[in-house]
Amino acid sequence: APKAAPVNEVSQYACQRRTTVENNNRIFTDAFEVLAENYEFNEIEGRCLAFRRAASVLKSLPWAVRSVGATLDLPCLGEHTTAVMKEILQYGRSFEVEKILSDERCQTLKLFTSVFGVGPKTAEKWYRRGLRSFSDVLAQPGIHLNRMQQSGFLHYGDISRAVSKAEARAVGNIIDEAVHVITPNAILALTGGFRRGKDFGHDVDFIVTTTELGKEKNLLISVIESLKKQGLLLFSDYQASTFDISKLPSHRFEAMDHFAKCFLILRLEGSRVEGGLQRAQADGRGWRAVRVDLVSPPADRFAFTMLGWTGSRMFERDLRRFARLERQMLLDNHALYDKTKKEFLTAATEKDIFDHLGLEYIEPWQRNA
Ligand code: DCP
Ligand code: MG
């Protein structure tokens, strides 16, 4: 097997680094994220990834970078990222970042993509038509908003505001009650950013399934039905499973998994939240809208789904890259395949998957890469 990174050396793979929510280098990583997003808007994927990788490496450091010299032994830092760090160390800010932040196109694309259901393609299309604000979009004749985008605009104020841990817990209780009424064999698990120990999130992610193989097929439909009956469902986009057990894990990283899933907007009553809602609603109502994602894999794929949905995105990307390049294995949210042995490797827990890959186990709260 290829040799592991020596002690104290920072690995180029995020899945070999322990990254908590504590970030000692936020001044640099915030700047890198602005640059990465700008490259993303301009579809320059290589540079976008380079800045995200550099940010991820700095996030893993238990110390704050105080000079460029201190970063010489770190992986994933190139000429451009180093120049930006130098600027920030010298002037306290990066002029390149400030130029992007004041750029009208970048500001507009950021505004439009902040709406649930609006991706970079749609944002670009609207920008090209001369639209610059939400009122421009909503007043423009001939613009068709799909159902998701309509809900995105309708609940914009609520869902653009971060969800707190207490709010996430309250959502968990609602889903828990709903699934356990449907089946006593239900499995409900928090995943995504809140499982990594984040204090705030843009949504709340759960895995919802049952110990009876096959019974997960219609589970989400019943959960959605129950939420609707209780008057808690503001929006639902359900995608049925297209999972095929014989398929090899996907080579493409950005491809979504094939399990049944739903993207929801739920009505969360303040009375259900310990300590009340994060912030009083401007219009005096006692509830807020919250984005919730549910995914429903067959129970024997639970560990792969959990590993895939816990994130972070960079951690996921590097798990797969490590598997492919260092182990000749293919990993995705459904399965792990050993190309040398030509066989699928099973896993009951996330730990099993790390073991198959010959990786030290990284706790969920250490995956904030
Ligand atoms: N995920 C992924 N690839 C995608 C979408 C999601 O690997 N294209 C995984 C990694 C994410 C997890 O799913 O961590 C949940 O997705 P979110 O967008 O909800 O991200 P987080 O929960 O990490 O952050 P946030 O606090 O913004 O919700
Ligand atoms: Mg999330």
PDB file of all heavy atoms in Angstrom, residues 193 202-203 205, ligand 2:
ATOM      1  N   GLY A 193     -24.315  19.545   8.289  1.00  0.00           N
ATOM      2  CA  GLY A 193     -23.492  20.446   9.097  1.00  0.00           C
ATOM      3  C   GLY A 193     -23.754  20.362  10.601  1.00  0.00           C
ATOM      4  O   GLY A 193     -22.820  20.484  11.404  1.00  0.00           O
ATOM      5  N   HIS A 202     -27.739  26.262   6.948  1.00  0.00           N
ATOM      6  CA  HIS A 202     -28.694  26.858   6.009  1.00  0.00           C
ATOM      7  C   HIS A 202     -29.944  25.983   5.910  1.00  0.00           C
ATOM      8  O   HIS A 202     -30.993  26.419   5.457  1.00  0.00           O
ATOM      9  CB  HIS A 202     -28.036  27.119   4.644  1.00  0.00           C
ATOM     10  CG  HIS A 202     -28.286  26.059   3.621  1.00  0.00           C
ATOM     11  ND1 HIS A 202     -27.612  24.852   3.605  1.00  0.00           N
ATOM     12  CD2 HIS A 202     -29.167  26.011   2.598  1.00  0.00           C
ATOM     13  CE1 HIS A 202     -28.067  24.129   2.590  1.00  0.00           C
ATOM     14  NE2 HIS A 202     -29.005  24.789   1.975  1.00  0.00           N
ATOM     15  N   ASP A 203     -29.796  24.726   6.364  1.00  0.00           N
ATOM     16  CA  ASP A 203     -30.936  23.810   6.397  1.00  0.00           C
ATOM     17  C   ASP A 203     -30.670  22.768   7.488  1.00  0.00           C
ATOM     18  O   ASP A 203     -29.643  22.843   8.169  1.00  0.00           O
ATOM     19  CB  ASP A 203     -31.121  23.131   5.029  1.00  0.00           C
ATOM     20  CG  ASP A 203     -29.980  22.187   4.670  1.00  0.00           C
ATOM     21  OD1 ASP A 203     -29.008  22.070   5.450  1.00  0.00           O
ATOM     22  OD2 ASP A 203     -30.046  21.559   3.614  1.00  0.00           O
ATOM     23  N   ASP A 205     -30.482  18.550   7.844  1.00  0.00           N
ATOM     24  CA  ASP A 205     -30.446  17.327   7.031  1.00  0.00           C
ATOM     25  C   ASP A 205     -30.652  16.085   7.899  1.00  0.00           C
ATOM     26  O   ASP A 205     -30.013  15.961   8.951  1.00  0.00           O
ATOM     27  CB  ASP A 205     -29.069  17.207   6.349  1.00  0.00           C
ATOM     28  CG  ASP A 205     -28.687  18.456   5.575  1.00  0.00           C
ATOM     29  OD1 ASP A 205     -29.275  18.686   4.509  1.00  0.00           O
ATOM     30  OD2 ASP A 205     -27.803  19.208   6.045  1.00  0.00           O
TER      31      ASP A 205
HETATM   32 MG    MG B   2     -27.183  21.241   5.745  1.00  0.00          MG
END
